[in-house]
Amino acid sequence: MERERSSGRAGDPGYTRRVEDERWEPGMPVLDRQAVRAPVLPPSLHGLPPRSVPEVEPTPLQKHYINLSVIVLICGAIAISALELGTSLGSPLVKVCVLIAAPLLVITTADAVLRIWRSAWAWMPVDRTKGVFRLAWVAVSVVGLAALIAASLIVILA
């Protein structure tokens, strides 16, 4: 995304600066960037393996993940409360909640699986054990995603 700001030479009128930052959105102020400093580790962490690796690319739903999850949470709370109060599994209230929440939960879970997958491959050259551990989480998440889809179909077809 490009944006031009006219405010002069660091304060003088007539100055135009281009901002090429995909994180910028309309209405946000343009900030001057500072040089990136090399991280300084405390003496207690010298010689230890890295604790994290940088995220290379955001997932497609990263900006919307929380908002979609809130909708799923509310629908789930309504459906579970209805079931706890004695409503049948085939109740229209439960089915509507599942019809709204299930697709959102599937896409947010798939987005999370993608993030774990990318994390696993980012860790492989740094620490193979951590990379393989994350691949195990990918497998578990895919099984959970299949169970989620199966449970949603059971409710919808009830």
Side-chain angles (χ1 to χ4, degrees):
M1 173 111 5
E2 292 185 14
R3 178 174 181 232
E4 293 185 3
R5 182 176 88 166
S6 185
S7 66
R9 183 192 78 223
D12 295 339
Y15 171 73
T16 301
R17 181 176 65 175
R18 296 181 106 176
V19 175
E20 296 178 15
D21 187 348
E22 68 278 353
R23 297 172 297 180
W24 183 85
E25 293 182 6
M28 290 176 57
V30 177
L31 303 174
D32 292 321
R33 297 282 178 209
Q34 296 178 0
V36 177
R37 296 182 320 160
V40 179
L41 292 175
S44 62
L45 295 179
H46 285 282
L48 292 177
R51 295 169 41 165
S52 64
V53 293
E55 186 173 347
V56 180
E57 179 183 357
T59 56
L61 293 178
Q62 189 167 357
K63 288 184 178 180
H64 311 290
Y65 191 84
I66 292 176
N67 294 331
L68 294 173
S69 297
V70 167
I71 296 169
V72 172
L73 176 67
I74 292 170
C75 289
I78 292 170
I80 291 170
S81 297
L83 290 171
E84 288 290 324
L85 292 172
T87 306
S88 69
L89 197 59
S91 163
L93 176 64
V94 174
K95 284 187 176 190
V96 167
C97 288
V98 170
L99 284 171
I100 293 170
L104 295 177
L105 189 55
V106 167
I107 62 171
T108 54
T109 304
D111 191 69
V113 171
L114 175 62
R115 189 170 187 177
I116 299 167
W117 174 263
R118 288 179 180 172
S119 171
W121 291 109
W123 270 105
M124 285 298 187
V126 178
D127 186 345
R128 185 167 174 79
T129 304
K130 289 182 180 180
V132 171
F133 180 75
R134 281 162 176 77
L135 284 178
W137 273 106
V138 169
V140 169
S141 300
V142 168
V143 170
L145 191 57
L148 167 68
I149 293 169
S152 299
L153 289 175
I154 288 171
V155 172
I156 292 170
L157 298 175

